[in-house]
Amino acid sequence: MSPKVGMEPIRRQQIIEAAKQCIVAKGLPHFSIKDIAKEAKLSTGVIYHYFENKDDLLVDVLKSSFSETEQLVQKNVDQATSYHEKIQAYLETVAEVPDQNPDFYLILLNYLSQAPYNDELKRVISRFFLNLGEFIEGILKIGFKEGVIKKVETKPVANLILSQAMGIAFYYLVTNETVSKEKINRDFVEIFKKYIE
Amino acid sequence: MSPKVGMEPIRRQQIIEAAKQCIVAKGLPHFSIKDIAKEAKLSTGVIYHYFENKDDLLVDVLKSSFSETEQLVQKNVDQATSYHEKIQAYLETVAEVPDQNPDFYLILLNYLSQAPYNDELKRVISRFFLNLGEFIEGILKIGFKEGVIKKVETKPVANLILSQAMGIAFYYLVTNETVSKEKINRDFVEIFKKYIE
Amino acid sequence: MSPKVGMEPIRRQQIIEAAKQCIVAKGLPHFSIKDIAKEAKLSTGVIYHYFENKDDLLVDVLKSSFSETEQLVQKNVDQATSYHEKIQAYLETVAEVPDQNPDFYLILLNYLSQAPYNDELKRVISRFFLNLGEFIEGILKIGFKEGVIKKVETKPVANLILSQAMGIAFYYLVTNETVSKEKINRDFVEIFKKYIE
Amino acid sequence: MSPKVGMEPIRRQQIIEAAKQCIVAKGLPHFSIKDIAKEAKLSTGVIYHYFENKDDLLVDVLKSSFSETEQLVQKNVDQATSYHEKIQAYLETVAEVPDQNPDFYLILLNYLSQAPYNDELKRVISRFFLNLGEFIEGILKIGFKEGVIKKVETKPVANLILSQAMGIAFYYLVTNETVSKEKINRDFVEIFKKYIE
DNA sequence: GATGAATGAGTTTTCATTCAT
DNA sequence: CATGAATGAAAACTCATTCAT
């Protein structure tokens, strides 16, 4: 009936998406391979056909999430041309991820809490932070070249931006406050523009 | 040898500390009641004599961690008298928690990742954030009365400070970078002083 | 405060009554020594001061229940003088135990189901049946002497009466029907009077 | 060797039979899932593949026992044509269940004692009683139509028959008397024929 | 006499993984 | 490729019993 060959990429993606839904619905430690199989409408056995084991699958889930977010940021920033537009686009994208892709920070939080006990996760997450950091640094260098910002140590700036974005997202994941959220996001953008300039 | 009556407070504390060590060593989802018992040098049964179940115990572990950190902040800020001293003490204390009590943010991260799936944790963590937030708001009001800062919306400020502190701590928990850490902490203090004033 | 010596019979009775309440409330396999202690408002330790172990205590509970019921039957029958009065009193007492002492058959049912696996319970229950059986046989012999009934094999009669009474009680314990109960009790008395005469 | 797909009905039956043996050998509260697995020569895990939990399995064991007995009664009565033959077949079947299927009443007794504390068991047992009761009532109605018995209130009759049969069976389960058993069974049949006619 | 703290074996249940079909 | 049956170790939790105080 359904095609039986060349299913590899399709099945892998199907299983990864099912696993994401499980993380979002139950949390990283609280679902089984059976849960993933049910969510993906597959048998448990087939998962082991496409992934070595559960841990491997879960690492791939994280990589997939990171890849999506990196592409989103890249796309939004690439549309802008000048430093001012780029930095604005970047900060706004970061500030709006929780609204546009609410699962992202939830998934990140789940993996982040496991990273201190798992070197592979540590590596994958560190690389993601590094990539985003270098991305900001690239923008800042443009600003410096354009002469619109002072020379800054780009690394701490990048870290502070990422940290603040992550901290805000986690804060709201747990408290469910929404009242001051917009004000916070505006302030977040303002603070860092002032900090840089 | 040891007394057989009135052990309640001693044992509860002993078990809570053992559980903390397990969280720090293995992560919230990766240790068993048996591990806690071994760490506390007690039998598994006695844990159920003092705690209803594992979840209850783990909530008490979090409450204990929060209580310690709240007392630390309180102590450091109370020693200061003027607004300037107080806000400096507050920001520095928050910035230095990762050094003075390195386990705190690791434990917090573990629980934070479970909070979206657990209403009791959500409540406990929200209350902690609220307490710390109100604490900052109190300091800011002093600054306004003293006429040394402008009138600010205290709630978003408080949230941003907490979020940034948490974000930085988590960032370093996972990346193990230490190079730019001091610079980051200094900038953190500077950013928020500038933001407020 | 409370007397500390000569407590033996009082404490034993207190514990036995608490155990009865536990059986009635939860069923023989579903309560612990701690439950009994709580019900009796005593510590767990004290129970082992008065009873060898849980099994021993539970046997004593059954003996106590049997003793109460035997005394009730004895009292009601002794008040009657003639055979006709005695047999009527006997059958009515047996029929009315479920109303007058609703716990009795519930407790009996609990122990009966354990008897096939426990020789001591088997002995205690057999003796109870034997006592009640001999009691009926005594009444029947009076009837024969008075010339008001034919010569019957008393043992089967006794067994049938006991069995029927027990069966009816258990039937209603489980079905909670109450509609036809009175009719049943009347028929029970009638059937056996007819059967004997 | 054995097929690996479509084992459901075979395994379920295999597990149910193993559980029955455990009840007969040890009594409802005194065996573990491990005991059932050992008896069925399976792993403990597989039991949870086919049954939700122990309670569910045990309910299915009871239903299976009831179903067997209902079929036995049905078969024996259906072979008879007239009222006289049917009522005789019914009473004799009921009287002989303890001999032909000695485990049935032992299993029933085990469950009966749990029914007061378990609404599902209550429902299942009540329904069984109801079915058997309606079965007798059907026979009695034939007798009335044929004009060979008087008009009786069929429900109390049915209850009395069931109660007596159950009571006798339990009586002998516990006392192990066998001397007067045949006499009792004969009297049981006689009593009820006389009672009806 | 009385307390309740402590033990540890035993219970039910879950689950990653394997593998015959 | 795909299924789902099977395993068995490990988890949380219970509880009769003992014993220092």
Side-chain angles (χ1 to χ4, degrees):
Chain A
M1 246 180 288
S2 55
K4 294 280 174 182
V5 277
M7 294 299 284
E8 174 111 18
I10 293 150
R11 282 274 181 270
R12 284 183 67 92
Q13 197 52 35
Q14 182 182 7
I15 293 164
I16 285 174
E17 290 305 322
K20 269 186 204 170
Q21 285 319 304
C22 288
I23 295 172
V24 169
K26 305 188 169 189
L28 206 40
H30 301 307
F31 61 89
S32 64
I33 287 285
K34 224 175 170 176
D35 291 325
I36 301 174
K38 205 175 289 171
E39 178 75 31
K41 289 173 188 175
L42 292 170
S43 68
T44 60
V46 83
I47 291 177
Y48 285 86
H49 192 79
Y50 293 103
F51 296 90
E52 193 67 25
N53 54 42
K54 197 185 181 187
D55 279 357
D56 263 36
L57 161 56
L58 291 179
V59 171
D60 282 359
V61 168
L62 182 61
K63 286 178 179 167
S64 159
S65 278
F66 280 165
S67 163
E68 283 172 15
T69 289
E70 279 170 355
Q71 281 170 33
L72 179 72
V73 172
Q74 187 103 41
K75 201 194 71 187
N76 287 2
V77 173
D78 279 0
Q79 288 173 345
T81 50
S82 71
Y83 161 76
H84 276 303
E85 279 170 5
K86 274 186 192 287
I87 194 75
Q88 186 80 19
Y90 180 87
L91 291 172
E92 277 176 3
T93 303
V94 166
E96 281 163 18
V97 165
D99 295 317
Q100 287 179 19
N101 184 0
D103 295 344
F104 174 74
Y105 277 112
L106 182 49
I107 292 171
L108 175 60
L109 177 54
N110 271 284
Y111 282 94
L112 211 62
S113 70
Q114 292 314 302
Y117 314 101
N118 180 323
D119 284 340
E120 173 147 35
L121 288 185
K122 240 178 190 162
R123 263 194 307 277
V124 174
I125 297 174
S126 292
R127 168 161 300 277
F128 172 71
F129 285 167
L130 208 68
N131 286 348
L132 274 194
E134 287 176 353
F135 199 79
I136 311 175
E137 296 184 61
I139 300 175
L140 293 178
K141 276 169 196 157
I142 295 173
F144 183 65
K145 263 188 207 147
E146 291 182 3
V148 294
I149 62 166
K150 64 187 177 193
K151 174 121 193 131
V152 287
E153 280 185 64
T154 53
K155 207 164 169 52
V157 179
N159 287 3
L160 278 163
I161 292 175
L162 288 178
S163 300
Q164 179 82 74
M166 201 165 70
I168 293 172
F170 293 167
Y171 187 97
Y172 286 109
L173 267 179
V174 171
T175 60
N176 291 126
E177 277 180 42
T178 43
V179 197
S180 53
K181 209 170 166 184
E182 272 185 41
K183 163 78 172 142
I184 288 275
N185 279 350
R186 249 178 297 126
D187 283 2
F188 164 72
V189 174
E190 282 315 305
I191 281 174
F192 284 104
K193 285 170 75 176
K194 211 183 293 175
Y195 172 50
I196 295 162
E197 288 154 18
Chain B
M1 233 183 300
S2 55
K4 283 273 177 175
V5 170
M7 295 302 285
E8 177 118 16
I10 295 151
R11 285 283 179 266
R12 285 184 69 93
Q13 197 52 36
Q14 182 182 4
I15 293 164
I16 285 175
E17 289 307 321
K20 270 186 204 170
Q21 286 319 304
C22 289
I23 296 172
V24 169
K26 306 188 170 189
L28 206 40
H30 301 307
F31 61 89
S32 64
I33 286 285
K34 227 172 171 175
D35 292 326
I36 302 175
K38 207 174 288 171
E39 178 74 32
K41 289 174 187 175
L42 291 170
S43 68
T44 60
V46 81
I47 292 177
Y48 289 89
H49 192 75
Y50 293 105
F51 296 90
E52 195 69 23
N53 53 44
K54 196 185 182 186
D55 278 359
D56 262 38
L57 162 56
L58 291 179
V59 170
D60 281 1
V61 168
L62 181 62
K63 285 179 180 169
S64 159
S65 280
F66 280 167
S67 164
E68 282 171 15
T69 290
E70 279 170 354
Q71 280 170 34
L72 179 71
V73 172
Q74 186 102 41
K75 203 194 69 187
N76 288 2
V77 173
D78 279 2
Q79 288 172 347
T81 49
S82 71
Y83 162 77
H84 278 302
E85 280 169 4
K86 272 184 193 288
I87 194 74
Q88 186 79 21
Y90 182 88
L91 291 171
E92 279 174 2
T93 303
V94 166
E96 283 162 16
V97 163
D99 296 316
Q100 287 179 18
N101 185 358
D103 296 343
F104 175 73
Y105 277 111
L106 182 49
I107 292 172
L108 175 60
L109 176 55
N110 271 285
Y111 282 94
L112 213 62
S113 70
Q114 292 315 301
Y117 314 101
N118 180 323
D119 284 340
E120 173 144 37
L121 289 185
K122 240 177 187 163
R123 261 194 307 277
V124 173
I125 296 174
S126 292
R127 168 161 299 276
F128 172 71
F129 285 167
L130 207 69
N131 285 348
L132 275 193
E134 287 177 352
F135 200 78
I136 311 175
E137 296 185 61
I139 299 174
L140 294 177
K141 276 170 197 158
I142 294 172
F144 182 65
K145 260 190 209 148
E146 291 183 0
V148 294
I149 62 165
K150 62 187 177 194
K151 174 122 194 134
V152 288
E153 277 186 66
T154 53
K155 208 166 168 50
V157 179
N159 287 2
L160 279 162
I161 292 174
L162 289 179
S163 301
Q164 179 82 75
M166 202 163 71
I168 294 171
F170 293 166
Y171 187 96
Y172 285 109
L173 267 179
V174 171
T175 60
N176 290 126
E177 280 178 40
T178 43
V179 197
S180 53
K181 208 169 167 186
E182 269 186 43
K183 163 77 173 141
I184 288 275
N185 279 351
R186 250 178 296 123
D187 283 2
F188 164 72
V189 175
E190 281 316 304
I191 282 174
F192 284 104
K193 284 171 77 176
K194 213 183 292 175
Y195 172 49
I196 296 161
E197 287 154 19
Chain C
M1 247 181 288
S2 54
K4 294 278 175 180
V5 277
M7 294 299 285
E8 174 110 21
I10 293 148
R11 282 276 181 269
R12 284 183 67 92
Q13 197 52 34
Q14 183 182 5
I15 293 164
I16 285 174
E17 289 306 322
K20 269 186 205 171
Q21 285 318 304
C22 288
I23 296 172
V24 169
K26 306 188 168 188
L28 206 39
H30 301 307
F31 60 90
S32 64
I33 287 285
K34 223 174 171 178
D35 291 325
I36 302 174
K38 206 175 288 171
E39 178 75 33
K41 290 174 185 174
L42 292 170
S43 68
T44 60
V46 81
I47 291 177
Y48 286 86
H49 193 79
Y50 292 104
F51 297 90
E52 193 67 25
N53 54 42
K54 197 185 183 187
D55 279 358
D56 263 37
L57 160 56
L58 291 179
V59 170
D60 281 1
V61 168
L62 181 62
K63 285 180 181 168
S64 158
S65 279
F66 280 166
S67 163
E68 282 172 14
T69 290
E70 280 169 354
Q71 280 170 34
L72 179 72
V73 173
Q74 186 103 42
K75 202 194 70 187
N76 287 3
V77 174
D78 280 1
Q79 287 172 347
T81 49
S82 73
Y83 162 77
H84 277 301
E85 281 171 5
K86 274 185 192 288
I87 194 76
Q88 187 79 20
Y90 181 87
L91 291 171
E92 279 175 0
T93 304
V94 166
E96 282 163 16
V97 164
D99 295 317
Q100 287 180 17
N101 184 359
D103 296 343
F104 174 73
Y105 277 112
L106 182 50
I107 292 171
L108 175 60
L109 177 54
N110 271 285
Y111 282 93
L112 211 62
S113 70
Q114 292 315 301
Y117 314 101
N118 180 324
D119 285 340
E120 174 147 33
L121 288 184
K122 240 178 190 165
R123 263 195 306 277
V124 173
I125 297 174
S126 292
R127 169 161 302 276
F128 172 70
F129 284 167
L130 208 68
N131 285 349
L132 274 193
E134 287 176 353
F135 199 79
I136 312 175
E137 295 184 60
I139 299 175
L140 293 177
K141 275 170 197 158
I142 295 173
F144 182 64
K145 260 190 210 147
E146 289 183 2
V148 294
I149 62 165
K150 64 188 176 192
K151 175 125 195 128
V152 287
E153 279 186 66
T154 53
K155 208 165 168 51
V157 179
N159 286 4
L160 279 164
I161 292 175
L162 288 179
S163 301
Q164 179 82 73
M166 202 164 70
I168 293 171
F170 293 167
Y171 186 97
Y172 285 109
L173 266 179
V174 172
T175 60
N176 292 124
E177 278 179 41
T178 42
V179 197
S180 52
K181 208 169 166 187
E182 270 185 42
K183 163 77 173 144
I184 289 275
N185 279 350
R186 250 177 296 125
D187 282 3
F188 164 72
V189 174
E190 281 316 304
I191 281 173
F192 285 104
K193 284 170 77 176
K194 214 184 288 174
Y195 171 51
I196 296 162
E197 288 155 16
Chain D
M1 235 183 296
S2 55
K4 283 274 177 176
V5 170
M7 295 302 284
E8 177 120 16
I10 295 150
R11 286 282 179 266
R12 284 184 70 93
Q13 197 53 36
Q14 182 182 5
I15 293 164
I16 285 174
E17 289 306 322
K20 269 186 205 170
Q21 286 318 305
C22 288
I23 296 172
V24 169
K26 305 187 169 189
L28 206 39
H30 301 306
F31 61 90
S32 65
I33 287 285
K34 227 174 173 174
D35 291 326
I36 301 175
K38 206 175 289 170
E39 177 74 33
K41 290 174 185 174
L42 291 170
S43 68
T44 60
V46 82
I47 292 177
Y48 288 87
H49 192 75
Y50 293 105
F51 296 90
E52 194 70 23
N53 53 44
K54 195 184 182 187
D55 277 359
D56 262 37
L57 161 56
L58 291 179
V59 170
D60 280 1
V61 168
L62 181 62
K63 284 178 180 169
S64 159
S65 281
F66 279 166
S67 163
E68 281 172 16
T69 290
E70 279 170 355
Q71 280 170 33
L72 179 72
V73 172
Q74 187 102 41
K75 203 194 69 187
N76 288 2
V77 173
D78 279 1
Q79 288 172 348
T81 50
S82 71
Y83 161 76
H84 277 301
E85 281 170 4
K86 273 185 192 288
I87 194 76
Q88 186 79 20
Y90 182 87
L91 292 172
E92 279 175 1
T93 304
V94 166
E96 283 162 16
V97 164
D99 296 317
Q100 287 180 17
N101 185 358
D103 296 343
F104 175 74
Y105 277 112
L106 181 50
I107 291 171
L108 175 60
L109 176 55
N110 271 285
Y111 282 93
L112 211 62
S113 70
Q114 291 314 301
Y117 314 101
N118 180 323
D119 284 341
E120 173 145 36
L121 289 184
K122 242 180 187 161
R123 263 194 306 277
V124 173
I125 297 174
S126 292
R127 170 161 299 276
F128 172 70
F129 285 167
L130 207 68
N131 285 349
L132 275 193
E134 286 176 353
F135 199 78
I136 312 175
E137 295 185 61
I139 299 175
L140 295 177
K141 275 170 197 159
I142 294 172
F144 182 64
K145 261 189 209 149
E146 291 183 2
V148 294
I149 61 166
K150 63 187 177 194
K151 174 121 194 135
V152 287
E153 280 187 64
T154 53
K155 207 166 168 53
V157 179
N159 287 3
L160 278 164
I161 292 175
L162 288 179
S163 301
Q164 179 81 75
M166 202 164 71
I168 293 171
F170 293 167
Y171 187 98
Y172 286 110
L173 267 179
V174 172
T175 60
N176 292 125
E177 278 180 41
T178 43
V179 198
S180 53
K181 208 169 166 185
E182 271 185 43
K183 163 77 174 142
I184 288 275
N185 279 351
R186 249 179 296 125
D187 282 3
F188 164 72
V189 175
E190 281 316 304
I191 281 173
F192 284 104
K193 284 172 76 176
K194 211 183 292 175
Y195 171 50
I196 298 161
E197 287 154 18

